[in-house]
């Protein structure tokens, strides 16, 4: 029987917040016999209102970084229907959250570039590489948004 066990809290994350996230993950995944379910559960937890607290979101991002460091974790992230939410910058409001989200992308690109291409294809790899090269705090300019809006009309 396996379960996700918390490490020492870091970056100002409280032990209580960390324990709550690990409890949520273990409750959703059960015995974690299906490793890809860990990743899917972590991605879904980011979308849930229960994780509005910054500490909870940061812990989930830390877990995602650790999962994406492995080939199976990176593969499952790229295959997940929730992969686009990782590349969506607008859904992470905090500086720390943006840095952790960037760390997920950075880990995938730096460790598994060829795997990213094989699983996500040219467009997926280009999206990851663009996010990576733009950095964690890139914001689309108003001019770019206006041009995109005009071409969509």
């Amino acid at each position: 029987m396996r379960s996700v066990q918390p490490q020492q809290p870091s970056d100002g994350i409280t032990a209580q917040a960390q324990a709550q996230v690990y409890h949520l993950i273990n409750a959703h995944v059960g015995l974690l016999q299906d490793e890809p379910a860990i990743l899917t559960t972590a991605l879904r937890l980011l979308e849930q209102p229960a994780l509005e607290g910054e500490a909870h979101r940061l812990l989930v991002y830390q877990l995602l970084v650790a999962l994406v460091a492995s080939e199976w974790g990176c593969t499952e992230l790229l295959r997940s229907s929730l992969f686009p939410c990782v590349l969506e910058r607008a859904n992470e409001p905090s500086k720390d959250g943006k840095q952790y989200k960037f760390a997920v992308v950075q880990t995938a690109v730096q460790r598994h570039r060829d795997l990213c291409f094989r699983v996500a294809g040219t467009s997926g790899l280009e999206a990851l590489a663009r996010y990576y090269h733009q950095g964690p705090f890139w914001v689309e300019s108003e001019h770019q948004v206006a041009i995109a809006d005009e071409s969509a009309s």
Side-chain angles (χ1 to χ4, degrees):
M1 291 194 287
R2 295 175 29 198
S3 65
V4 175
Q5 298 298 318
Q7 306 274 323
Q8 288 295 321
S10 60
D11 299 336
I13 297 171
T14 67
Q16 180 182 6
Q18 189 172 28
Q20 289 172 343
V21 168
Y22 281 93
H23 173 75
L24 282 169
I25 290 171
N26 286 321
H28 280 82
V29 183
L31 299 178
L32 299 178
Q33 293 176 357
D34 180 19
E35 289 178 332
I38 301 168
L39 183 85
T40 302
T41 300
L43 288 168
R44 288 203 172 117
L45 285 172
L46 286 173
E47 294 183 325
Q48 293 183 5
L51 281 185
E52 287 179 2
E54 170 109 10
H56 291 127
R57 282 194 331 276
L58 297 181
L59 284 165
V60 173
Y61 283 127
Q62 286 179 349
L63 177 62
L64 286 175
V65 170
L67 293 171
V68 170
S70 71
E71 284 191 16
W72 72 261
C74 188
T75 299
E76 291 304 315
L77 172 67
L78 297 169
R79 289 181 178 162
S80 170
S81 62
L82 299 169
F83 171 60
C85 87
V86 172
L87 297 176
E88 177 57 52
R89 294 175 182 275
N91 62 11
E92 184 51 59
S94 77
K95 176 185 174 192
D96 289 339
K98 289 175 188 202
Q99 289 174 316
Y100 276 109
K101 188 181 235 189
F102 176 77
V104 173
V105 172
Q106 180 180 32
T107 301
V109 170
Q110 287 181 344
R111 289 189 179 208
H112 307 294
R113 189 174 193 87
D114 292 339
L115 176 68
C116 291
F117 175 72
R118 286 193 313 271
V119 175
T122 302
S123 63
L125 178 59
E126 286 175 354
L128 284 164
R130 185 172 41 254
Y131 193 111
Y132 173 71
H133 291 295
Q134 291 169 339
F137 304 113
W138 182 84
V139 177
E140 191 171 34
S141 72
E142 290 181 32
H143 178 70
Q144 289 170 314
V145 172
I147 290 172
D149 288 345
E150 286 177 12
S151 64
S153 299

mmCIF file of all heavy atoms in Angstrom, residues 40-77:
data_model
loop_
_atom_site.group_PDB
_atom_site.id
_atom_site.type_symbol
_atom_site.label_atom_id
_atom_site.label_comp_id
_atom_site.label_asym_id
_atom_site.label_seq_id
_atom_site.Cartn_x
_atom_site.Cartn_y
_atom_site.Cartn_z
ATOM 1 N N THR A 40 -3.491 13.470 -12.209
ATOM 2 C CA THR A 40 -4.827 13.957 -12.560
ATOM 3 C C THR A 40 -5.509 14.553 -11.338
ATOM 4 O O THR A 40 -6.130 15.609 -11.423
ATOM 5 C CB THR A 40 -5.681 12.807 -13.136
ATOM 6 O OG1 THR A 40 -4.990 12.280 -14.276
ATOM 7 C CG2 THR A 40 -7.050 13.277 -13.544
ATOM 8 N N THR A 41 -5.376 13.897 -10.203
ATOM 9 C CA THR A 41 -5.972 14.410 -8.976
ATOM 10 C C THR A 41 -5.357 15.748 -8.591
ATOM 11 O O THR A 41 -6.063 16.689 -8.238
ATOM 12 C CB THR A 41 -5.797 13.394 -7.828
ATOM 13 O OG1 THR A 41 -6.437 12.179 -8.205
ATOM 14 C CG2 THR A 41 -6.417 13.918 -6.543
ATOM 15 N N ALA A 42 -4.041 15.861 -8.697
ATOM 16 C CA ALA A 42 -3.376 17.124 -8.359
ATOM 17 C C ALA A 42 -3.858 18.246 -9.276
ATOM 18 O O ALA A 42 -4.163 19.351 -8.813
ATOM 19 C CB ALA A 42 -1.863 16.971 -8.459
ATOM 20 N N LEU A 43 -3.958 17.980 -10.569
ATOM 21 C CA LEU A 43 -4.446 19.000 -11.505
ATOM 22 C C LEU A 43 -5.884 19.399 -11.192
ATOM 23 O O LEU A 43 -6.227 20.583 -11.233
ATOM 24 C CB LEU A 43 -4.340 18.492 -12.948
ATOM 25 C CG LEU A 43 -2.924 18.399 -13.508
ATOM 26 C CD1 LEU A 43 -2.924 17.612 -14.808
ATOM 27 C CD2 LEU A 43 -2.333 19.778 -13.712
ATOM 28 N N ARG A 44 -6.699 18.429 -10.870
ATOM 29 C CA ARG A 44 -8.101 18.741 -10.543
ATOM 30 C C ARG A 44 -8.211 19.512 -9.232
ATOM 31 O O ARG A 44 -9.088 20.359 -9.086
ATOM 32 C CB ARG A 44 -8.918 17.462 -10.507
ATOM 33 C CG ARG A 44 -9.136 16.919 -11.893
ATOM 34 C CD ARG A 44 -10.333 16.023 -11.996
ATOM 35 N NE ARG A 44 -10.560 15.703 -13.381
ATOM 36 C CZ ARG A 44 -10.494 14.478 -13.878
ATOM 37 N NH1 ARG A 44 -10.240 13.462 -13.096
ATOM 38 N NH2 ARG A 44 -10.707 14.274 -15.159
ATOM 39 N N LEU A 45 -7.330 19.213 -8.289
ATOM 40 C CA LEU A 45 -7.353 19.940 -7.020
ATOM 41 C C LEU A 45 -7.086 21.424 -7.233
ATOM 42 O O LEU A 45 -7.636 22.265 -6.530
ATOM 43 C CB LEU A 45 -6.329 19.367 -6.040
ATOM 44 C CG LEU A 45 -6.694 18.043 -5.378
ATOM 45 C CD1 LEU A 45 -5.518 17.506 -4.582
ATOM 46 C CD2 LEU A 45 -7.925 18.186 -4.499
ATOM 47 N N LEU A 46 -6.244 21.756 -8.215
ATOM 48 C CA LEU A 46 -5.963 23.166 -8.489
ATOM 49 C C LEU A 46 -7.210 23.912 -8.947
ATOM 50 O O LEU A 46 -7.310 25.119 -8.771
ATOM 51 C CB LEU A 46 -4.874 23.298 -9.561
ATOM 52 C CG LEU A 46 -3.466 22.983 -9.112
ATOM 53 C CD1 LEU A 46 -2.525 22.988 -10.306
ATOM 54 C CD2 LEU A 46 -2.999 23.963 -8.056
ATOM 55 N N GLU A 47 -8.148 23.206 -9.538
ATOM 56 C CA GLU A 47 -9.366 23.843 -10.042
ATOM 57 C C GLU A 47 -10.458 23.962 -8.987
ATOM 58 O O GLU A 47 -11.451 24.629 -9.208
ATOM 59 C CB GLU A 47 -9.920 23.034 -11.217
ATOM 60 C CG GLU A 47 -9.007 23.038 -12.418
ATOM 61 C CD GLU A 47 -9.613 22.291 -13.579
ATOM 62 O OE1 GLU A 47 -10.316 21.290 -13.363
ATOM 63 O OE2 GLU A 47 -9.406 22.747 -14.709
ATOM 64 N N GLN A 48 -10.303 23.294 -7.856
ATOM 65 C CA GLN A 48 -11.361 23.251 -6.859
ATOM 66 C C GLN A 48 -11.319 24.459 -5.930
ATOM 67 O O GLN A 48 -10.246 24.892 -5.521
ATOM 68 C CB GLN A 48 -11.261 21.972 -6.026
ATOM 69 C CG GLN A 48 -11.546 20.735 -6.832
ATOM 70 C CD GLN A 48 -11.511 19.491 -5.968
ATOM 71 O OE1 GLN A 48 -11.357 19.565 -4.753
ATOM 72 N NE2 GLN A 48 -11.665 18.353 -6.591
ATOM 73 N N PRO A 49 -12.504 24.967 -5.591
ATOM 74 C CA PRO A 49 -12.568 26.106 -4.667
ATOM 75 C C PRO A 49 -11.940 25.799 -3.306
ATOM 76 O O PRO A 49 -11.464 26.694 -2.639
ATOM 77 C CB PRO A 49 -14.068 26.366 -4.510
ATOM 78 C CG PRO A 49 -14.706 25.686 -5.658
ATOM 79 C CD PRO A 49 -13.805 24.575 -6.082
ATOM 80 N N ALA A 50 -11.892 24.532 -2.919
ATOM 81 C CA ALA A 50 -11.299 24.165 -1.632
ATOM 82 C C ALA A 50 -9.819 24.515 -1.577
ATOM 83 O O ALA A 50 -9.241 24.626 -0.506
ATOM 84 C CB ALA A 50 -11.484 22.670 -1.375
ATOM 85 N N LEU A 51 -9.200 24.721 -2.738
ATOM 86 C CA LEU A 51 -7.783 25.043 -2.761
ATOM 87 C C LEU A 51 -7.540 26.511 -3.066
ATOM 88 O O LEU A 51 -6.532 26.873 -3.648
ATOM 89 C CB LEU A 51 -7.052 24.185 -3.791
ATOM 90 C CG LEU A 51 -6.756 22.769 -3.343
ATOM 91 C CD1 LEU A 51 -5.928 22.054 -4.382
ATOM 92 C CD2 LEU A 51 -6.036 22.739 -2.020
ATOM 93 N N GLU A 52 -8.447 27.357 -2.661
ATOM 94 C CA GLU A 52 -8.258 28.782 -2.890
ATOM 95 C C GLU A 52 -7.114 29.326 -2.062
ATOM 96 O O GLU A 52 -6.522 30.323 -2.409
ATOM 97 C CB GLU A 52 -9.551 29.548 -2.604
ATOM 98 C CG GLU A 52 -10.598 29.326 -3.675
ATOM 99 C CD GLU A 52 -11.884 30.068 -3.389
ATOM 100 O OE1 GLU A 52 -11.962 30.788 -2.378
ATOM 101 O OE2 GLU A 52 -12.813 29.915 -4.173
ATOM 102 N N GLY A 53 -6.811 28.661 -0.970
ATOM 103 C CA GLY A 53 -5.703 29.116 -0.136
ATOM 104 C C GLY A 53 -4.381 28.976 -0.864
ATOM 105 O O GLY A 53 -4.112 27.957 -1.487
ATOM 106 N N GLU A 54 -3.572 30.000 -0.792
ATOM 107 C CA GLU A 54 -2.278 30.022 -1.481
ATOM 108 C C GLU A 54 -1.406 28.838 -1.092
ATOM 109 O O GLU A 54 -0.804 28.203 -1.946
ATOM 110 C CB GLU A 54 -1.557 31.325 -1.145
ATOM 111 C CG GLU A 54 -0.133 31.354 -1.601
ATOM 112 C CD GLU A 54 0.082 32.291 -2.760
ATOM 113 O OE1 GLU A 54 -0.817 33.049 -3.094
ATOM 114 O OE2 GLU A 54 1.160 32.238 -3.333
ATOM 115 N N ALA A 55 -1.334 28.527 0.177
ATOM 116 C CA ALA A 55 -0.463 27.438 0.632
ATOM 117 C C ALA A 55 -0.867 26.120 -0.009
ATOM 118 O O ALA A 55 -0.002 25.328 -0.405
ATOM 119 C CB ALA A 55 -0.506 27.329 2.153
ATOM 120 N N HIS A 56 -2.158 25.880 -0.137
ATOM 121 C CA HIS A 56 -2.615 24.637 -0.749
ATOM 122 C C HIS A 56 -2.208 24.562 -2.217
ATOM 123 O O HIS A 56 -1.726 23.538 -2.683
ATOM 124 C CB HIS A 56 -4.137 24.495 -0.626
ATOM 125 C CG HIS A 56 -4.588 24.270 0.764
ATOM 126 N ND1 HIS A 56 -5.544 25.052 1.366
ATOM 127 C CD2 HIS A 56 -4.210 23.353 1.688
ATOM 128 C CE1 HIS A 56 -5.741 24.628 2.594
ATOM 129 N NE2 HIS A 56 -4.944 23.596 2.817
ATOM 130 N N ARG A 57 -2.419 25.640 -2.951
ATOM 131 C CA ARG A 57 -2.062 25.649 -4.374
ATOM 132 C C ARG A 57 -0.561 25.437 -4.552
ATOM 133 O O ARG A 57 -0.130 24.698 -5.431
ATOM 134 C CB ARG A 57 -2.493 26.947 -5.050
ATOM 135 C CG ARG A 57 -3.962 27.011 -5.377
ATOM 136 C CD ARG A 57 -4.329 28.135 -6.340
ATOM 137 N NE ARG A 57 -3.496 29.310 -6.313
ATOM 138 C CZ ARG A 57 -3.624 30.329 -5.465
ATOM 139 N NH1 ARG A 57 -4.569 30.311 -4.554
ATOM 140 N NH2 ARG A 57 -2.805 31.370 -5.525
ATOM 141 N N LEU A 58 0.238 26.098 -3.729
ATOM 142 C CA LEU A 58 1.689 25.965 -3.842
ATOM 143 C C LEU A 58 2.138 24.530 -3.578
ATOM 144 O O LEU A 58 3.039 24.015 -4.251
ATOM 145 C CB LEU A 58 2.401 26.933 -2.903
ATOM 146 C CG LEU A 58 2.165 28.425 -3.175
ATOM 147 C CD1 LEU A 58 2.953 29.267 -2.194
ATOM 148 C CD2 LEU A 58 2.470 28.803 -4.608
ATOM 149 N N LEU A 59 1.501 23.879 -2.639
ATOM 150 C CA LEU A 59 1.835 22.482 -2.363
ATOM 151 C C LEU A 59 1.486 21.585 -3.545
ATOM 152 O O LEU A 59 2.244 20.676 -3.882
ATOM 153 C CB LEU A 59 1.103 22.000 -1.108
ATOM 154 C CG LEU A 59 1.705 22.508 0.188
ATOM 155 C CD1 LEU A 59 0.747 22.300 1.336
ATOM 156 C CD2 LEU A 59 3.016 21.803 0.453
ATOM 157 N N VAL A 60 0.358 21.841 -4.167
ATOM 158 C CA VAL A 60 -0.014 21.037 -5.330
ATOM 159 C C VAL A 60 0.977 21.271 -6.463
ATOM 160 O O VAL A 60 1.397 20.328 -7.134
ATOM 161 C CB VAL A 60 -1.468 21.317 -5.768
ATOM 162 C CG1 VAL A 60 -1.786 20.614 -7.076
ATOM 163 C CG2 VAL A 60 -2.447 20.862 -4.686
ATOM 164 N N TYR A 61 1.389 22.519 -6.656
ATOM 165 C CA TYR A 61 2.407 22.785 -7.682
ATOM 166 C C TYR A 61 3.718 22.069 -7.358
ATOM 167 O O TYR A 61 4.385 21.544 -8.250
ATOM 168 C CB TYR A 61 2.655 24.284 -7.847
ATOM 169 C CG TYR A 61 1.589 24.995 -8.637
ATOM 170 C CD1 TYR A 61 0.964 26.119 -8.134
ATOM 171 C CD2 TYR A 61 1.205 24.548 -9.899
ATOM 172 C CE1 TYR A 61 -0.017 26.784 -8.859
ATOM 173 C CE2 TYR A 61 0.222 25.200 -10.628
ATOM 174 C CZ TYR A 61 -0.376 26.322 -10.104
ATOM 175 O OH TYR A 61 -1.344 26.973 -10.813
ATOM 176 N N GLN A 62 4.109 22.057 -6.084
ATOM 177 C CA GLN A 62 5.325 21.332 -5.697
ATOM 178 C C GLN A 62 5.198 19.857 -6.044
ATOM 179 O O GLN A 62 6.136 19.238 -6.546
ATOM 180 C CB GLN A 62 5.596 21.481 -4.202
ATOM 181 C CG GLN A 62 6.119 22.825 -3.801
ATOM 182 C CD GLN A 62 6.347 22.929 -2.305
ATOM 183 O OE1 GLN A 62 5.944 22.079 -1.524
ATOM 184 N NE2 GLN A 62 7.005 23.996 -1.890
ATOM 185 N N LEU A 63 4.027 19.292 -5.786
ATOM 186 C CA LEU A 63 3.786 17.894 -6.117
ATOM 187 C C LEU A 63 3.864 17.694 -7.631
ATOM 188 O O LEU A 63 4.472 16.738 -8.106
ATOM 189 C CB LEU A 63 2.417 17.459 -5.592
ATOM 190 C CG LEU A 63 2.004 16.035 -5.925
ATOM 191 C CD1 LEU A 63 2.956 15.027 -5.306
ATOM 192 C CD2 LEU A 63 0.576 15.783 -5.466
ATOM 193 N N LEU A 64 3.284 18.614 -8.398
ATOM 194 C CA LEU A 64 3.337 18.504 -9.860
ATOM 195 C C LEU A 64 4.771 18.558 -10.375
ATOM 196 O O LEU A 64 5.132 17.811 -11.289
ATOM 197 C CB LEU A 64 2.510 19.607 -10.513
ATOM 198 C CG LEU A 64 0.999 19.446 -10.438
ATOM 199 C CD1 LEU A 64 0.306 20.670 -11.025
ATOM 200 C CD2 LEU A 64 0.543 18.183 -11.130
ATOM 201 N N VAL A 65 5.587 19.427 -9.808
ATOM 202 C CA VAL A 65 6.991 19.505 -10.225
ATOM 203 C C VAL A 65 7.663 18.149 -9.997
ATOM 204 O O VAL A 65 8.373 17.640 -10.873
ATOM 205 C CB VAL A 65 7.747 20.633 -9.489
ATOM 206 C CG1 VAL A 65 9.249 20.542 -9.739
ATOM 207 C CG2 VAL A 65 7.225 21.994 -9.914
ATOM 208 N N ALA A 66 7.423 17.563 -8.841
ATOM 209 C CA ALA A 66 8.027 16.265 -8.530
ATOM 210 C C ALA A 66 7.514 15.180 -9.483
ATOM 211 O O ALA A 66 8.291 14.338 -9.944
ATOM 212 C CB ALA A 66 7.738 15.880 -7.078
ATOM 213 N N LEU A 67 6.235 15.210 -9.796
ATOM 214 C CA LEU A 67 5.667 14.199 -10.693
ATOM 215 C C LEU A 67 6.172 14.367 -12.121
ATOM 216 O O LEU A 67 6.512 13.391 -12.789
ATOM 217 C CB LEU A 67 4.140 14.262 -10.665
ATOM 218 C CG LEU A 67 3.482 13.855 -9.349
ATOM 219 C CD1 LEU A 67 1.993 14.170 -9.373
ATOM 220 C CD2 LEU A 67 3.713 12.380 -9.068
ATOM 221 N N VAL A 68 6.238 15.600 -12.597
ATOM 222 C CA VAL A 68 6.680 15.866 -13.963
ATOM 223 C C VAL A 68 8.173 15.564 -14.138
ATOM 224 O O VAL A 68 8.634 15.324 -15.251
ATOM 225 C CB VAL A 68 6.327 17.317 -14.374
ATOM 226 C CG1 VAL A 68 6.958 17.719 -15.684
ATOM 227 C CG2 VAL A 68 4.813 17.456 -14.475
ATOM 228 N N ALA A 69 8.902 15.511 -13.055
ATOM 229 C CA ALA A 69 10.317 15.157 -13.138
ATOM 230 C C ALA A 69 10.505 13.717 -13.633
ATOM 231 O O ALA A 69 11.530 13.395 -14.224
ATOM 232 C CB ALA A 69 10.997 15.342 -11.786
ATOM 233 N N SER A 70 9.501 12.877 -13.423
ATOM 234 C CA SER A 70 9.579 11.504 -13.925
ATOM 235 C C SER A 70 8.982 11.429 -15.327
ATOM 236 O O SER A 70 8.131 12.244 -15.696
ATOM 237 C CB SER A 70 8.819 10.554 -12.993
ATOM 238 O OG SER A 70 7.425 10.770 -13.113
ATOM 239 N N GLU A 71 9.418 10.468 -16.109
ATOM 240 C CA GLU A 71 8.897 10.339 -17.473
ATOM 241 C C GLU A 71 7.407 10.052 -17.475
ATOM 242 O O GLU A 71 6.663 10.613 -18.267
ATOM 243 C CB GLU A 71 9.653 9.250 -18.239
ATOM 244 C CG GLU A 71 11.013 9.702 -18.691
ATOM 245 C CD GLU A 71 11.649 8.733 -19.676
ATOM 246 O OE1 GLU A 71 10.949 7.881 -20.250
ATOM 247 O OE2 GLU A 71 12.866 8.855 -19.862
ATOM 248 N N TRP A 72 6.947 9.151 -16.584
ATOM 249 C CA TRP A 72 5.517 8.828 -16.589
ATOM 250 C C TRP A 72 4.697 10.039 -16.185
ATOM 251 O O TRP A 72 3.623 10.280 -16.733
ATOM 252 C CB TRP A 72 5.188 7.608 -15.723
ATOM 253 C CG TRP A 72 5.291 7.848 -14.233
ATOM 254 C CD1 TRP A 72 6.321 7.531 -13.424
ATOM 255 C CD2 TRP A 72 4.309 8.470 -13.392
ATOM 256 N NE1 TRP A 72 6.058 7.920 -12.134
ATOM 257 C CE2 TRP A 72 4.835 8.484 -12.086
ATOM 258 C CE3 TRP A 72 3.045 9.002 -13.614
ATOM 259 C CZ2 TRP A 72 4.141 9.022 -11.006
ATOM 260 C CZ3 TRP A 72 2.355 9.538 -12.534
ATOM 261 C CH2 TRP A 72 2.902 9.540 -11.247
ATOM 262 N N GLY A 73 5.193 10.833 -15.227
ATOM 263 C CA GLY A 73 4.461 12.018 -14.788
ATOM 264 C C GLY A 73 4.363 13.052 -15.893
ATOM 265 O O GLY A 73 3.301 13.643 -16.120
ATOM 266 N N CYS A 74 5.458 13.260 -16.604
ATOM 267 C CA CYS A 74 5.455 14.208 -17.719
ATOM 268 C C CYS A 74 4.512 13.715 -18.819
ATOM 269 O O CYS A 74 3.723 14.484 -19.371
ATOM 270 C CB CYS A 74 6.872 14.390 -18.244
ATOM 271 S SG CYS A 74 7.010 15.701 -19.475
ATOM 272 N N THR A 75 4.577 12.429 -19.126
ATOM 273 C CA THR A 75 3.710 11.847 -20.155
ATOM 274 C C THR A 75 2.247 12.037 -19.781
ATOM 275 O O THR A 75 1.420 12.454 -20.607
ATOM 276 C CB THR A 75 4.008 10.345 -20.332
ATOM 277 O OG1 THR A 75 5.366 10.206 -20.751
ATOM 278 C CG2 THR A 75 3.092 9.715 -21.354
ATOM 279 N N GLU A 76 1.917 11.740 -18.538
ATOM 280 C CA GLU A 76 0.515 11.862 -18.113
ATOM 281 C C GLU A 76 0.047 13.309 -18.119
ATOM 282 O O GLU A 76 -1.091 13.601 -18.460
ATOM 283 C CB GLU A 76 0.308 11.224 -16.740
ATOM 284 C CG GLU A 76 0.441 9.723 -16.760
ATOM 285 C CD GLU A 76 -0.492 9.058 -17.757
ATOM 286 O OE1 GLU A 76 -1.687 9.411 -17.833
ATOM 287 O OE2 GLU A 76 -0.024 8.162 -18.488
ATOM 288 N N LEU A 77 0.919 14.234 -17.745
ATOM 289 C CA LEU A 77 0.548 15.653 -17.797
ATOM 290 C C LEU A 77 0.228 16.052 -19.230
ATOM 291 O O LEU A 77 -0.792 16.689 -19.500
ATOM 292 C CB LEU A 77 1.667 16.538 -17.259
ATOM 293 C CG LEU A 77 1.453 18.044 -17.457
ATOM 294 C CD1 LEU A 77 0.278 18.533 -16.617
ATOM 295 C CD2 LEU A 77 2.703 18.819 -17.129
#
